[in-house]
Amino acid sequence: MVEGLALEAIGVSKRYGSREALCGVDLIVRPGQLHGLLGPNGAGKTTLMRILLGLVRRDAGTVRLLGSRLDSTAGPVPDGVAGFVETPAFYPYLSARKNLALLARLDGNAKSRRSDNVDEILEHIGLAPHADIAVAGYSAGMRQRLGLAAALLRSPWLLFLDEPTSSLDPGGARDVRALARRLADAGAAVVWSSHDMAEVEELCATLTVINRGQVIFCGAIDELRDLAPAAVHALHTSDDRAALDLASRRPGVKVSSDSDGSLEVSADTEGLDAYVIALGQAGIAVRALESRVRSLESLFIEITGHAESEAHVSAPHATADLAPPASPVVS
C-alpha cells in the first residue's frame, strides 16, 4: 500500500528546439485514484508520460514517484512504477512468454524476476493460449494486451496507461477497464490517457486536461461541469436541420447534433426561452426538451476549442529499436 501521494509532478517543462512541448505542468495523483489525462493531439500528453516514466529528460520541474524523486536526466523508475506509452514494442521473433521472461530478467524488481509470475500474468491477461507464439504473428490487440502484461510484471502501485484500449475489441476493452478498476480499488494509482471521452468519463472521477503544453483544468469531472457557463438540454424537433440553421443566427445559443439523434442545446434560461419561441415562429415544432448532464466530450470541446474529440487515433507507430523497448518500463 502506498502512503502519501503516488505521483507528484510540479512545474514540469520540456522544449524541443523552438517548440515548447510542456510549460509548468502540475500533475498530482493519490493512491486508489483512476486519473484521466486528456488533451488534443499535440497537447503534450505523450511527452509528459514519457517524462514521468523516465524515458525523456525534462528541462524543469520536480517529479516524485511513490515518494521517490525521479532524476531530471531520466533513468530507472522506482519499484512499483510501470506503464507504456503509445504502442508497446517487443522483439517480434520471440514469443510472448520469452519477451516477458527477458523483461523480468532485466528488471531489478525481485517479484518481476519470478518465472512463475510470467505465466500467472499471461493467464490473467488472456494470452496464455498464445504464450509460445512469436509476437510477429500477434494482432494489434494482442500486442496491447502483452504491453499491459509487461507493466503488470512490476506489481505496480503507480501505473501509466496510454490509449490502453485503442486496439482492443469491446470485450478486451471491458477487461482492461475492469483490471484498472481492480488495481485502483486495491490502492494503486492509475493514470489513464485516452481520446475516448466516454471511457474516461466512465472510469475516472478526476482528470487533468492539457492543451498546448499547459494544464487548463485539473480536478473532478463534476467540478468541470460546474464551471460550464451554460446549461445543456436535449432537443427533438420536427426539422433538426432548420433548427440548427436558426441557432447559428442567434447569439448566446449553441446547438449541435448529438450521437443519439437529438440536438444538444447550450444556452442560459433567457436564451433558451427565446430560441424555443423562435422555433415556433419559424414553424418548427418542439417535440421534446429535457435538461441533460453535460457529457465530458462536450466539456472537452468547450474548454479546448477543439471540435474533434479524436475518439479514434491513427495507426500505431512501428519501432525499429534493436535494444529492449523503451516501453513497457522496467528499471
Side-chain angles (χ1 to χ4, degrees):
M1 181 65 69
V2 181
E3 295 182 1
L5 297 175
L7 167 63
E8 185 179 15
I10 304 296
V12 175
S13 298
K14 178 65 180 178
R15 179 181 291 275
Y16 293 103
S18 61
R19 184 175 71 87
E20 197 166 41
L22 295 172
C23 180
V25 169
D26 296 346
L27 180 59
I28 294 176
V29 184
R30 292 170 172 79
Q33 279 189 338
L34 259 164
H35 190 92
L37 182 61
L38 298 177
N41 279 343
K45 303 187 305 299
T46 298
T47 298
L48 177 60
M49 292 190 76
R50 287 188 175 277
I51 288 172
L52 298 178
L53 284 168
L55 303 174
V56 169
R57 296 181 180 184
R58 62 187 183 275
D59 295 331
T62 61
V63 175
R64 290 187 179 275
L65 309 173
L66 303 180
S68 299
R69 184 161 181 158
L70 182 67
D71 195 315
S72 62
T73 59
V77 297
D79 288 349
V81 178
F84 59 79
V85 181
E86 296 182 320
T87 305
F90 297 94
Y91 290 113
Y93 51 86
L94 294 180
S95 67
R97 191 191 309 278
K98 289 183 178 179
N99 265 288
L100 292 187
L102 176 60
L103 286 172
R105 287 199 301 272
L106 292 171
D107 194 358
N109 183 293
K111 186 168 183 178
S112 71
R113 288 199 302 267
R114 286 170 34 206
S115 59
D116 61 326
N117 204 36
V118 170
D119 292 332
E120 179 184 325
I121 291 174
L122 284 168
E123 181 70 36
H124 186 59
I125 210 68
L127 285 177
H130 315 284
D132 296 311
I133 298 174
V135 172
Y138 273 25
S139 66
M142 292 169 70
R143 288 172 183 262
Q144 200 80 345
R145 285 177 181 265
L146 187 57
L148 185 56
L152 293 178
L153 276 174
R154 311 203 81 224
S155 303
W157 289 104
L158 174 57
L159 181 61
F160 296 92
L161 297 176
D162 185 24
E163 300 290 346
T165 62
S166 62
S167 301
L168 299 177
D169 59 31
R174 180 194 59 225
D175 292 345
V176 171
R177 290 192 295 268
L179 174 61
R181 286 194 195 95
R182 287 197 299 272
L183 289 170
D185 289 344
V190 180
V191 178
W192 185 287
S193 178
S194 176
H195 287 96
D196 188 329
M197 300 295 166
E199 182 176 74
V200 172
E201 192 165 15
E202 174 190 348
L203 275 177
C204 305
T206 59
L207 71 156
T208 295
V209 183
I210 299 177
N211 193 27
R212 296 173 182 167
Q214 296 182 312
V215 173
I216 59 174
F217 176 82
C218 182
I221 292 178
D222 289 341
E223 293 174 359
L224 181 58
R225 290 194 178 100
D226 291 341
L227 293 175
V232 172
H233 293 77
L235 172 67
H236 293 269
T237 74
S238 59
D239 190 341
D240 287 352
R241 181 173 295 181
L244 279 167
D245 181 63
L246 181 62
S248 68
R249 302 193 298 272
R250 301 195 66 83
V253 177
K254 295 180 180 179
V255 180
S256 59
S257 298
D258 205 358
S259 57
D260 64 2
S262 67
L263 297 177
E264 187 172 89
V265 183
S266 176
D268 58 23
T269 301
E270 184 178 337
L272 180 65
D273 289 346
Y275 177 54
V276 170
I277 292 171
L279 288 173
Q281 291 173 339
I284 304 169
V286 175
R287 292 176 173 165
L289 179 66
E290 58 185 8
S291 181
R292 168 178 288 176
V293 176
R294 301 202 68 171
S295 70
L296 180 58
E297 181 171 344
S298 68
L299 294 169
F300 175 85
I301 292 171
E302 184 166 318
I303 67 174
T304 63
H306 283 70
E308 297 179 2
S309 67
E310 304 165 22
H312 302 287
V313 294
S314 57
H317 296 87
T319 178
D321 293 345
L322 296 180
S327 59
V329 169
V330 295
S331 59

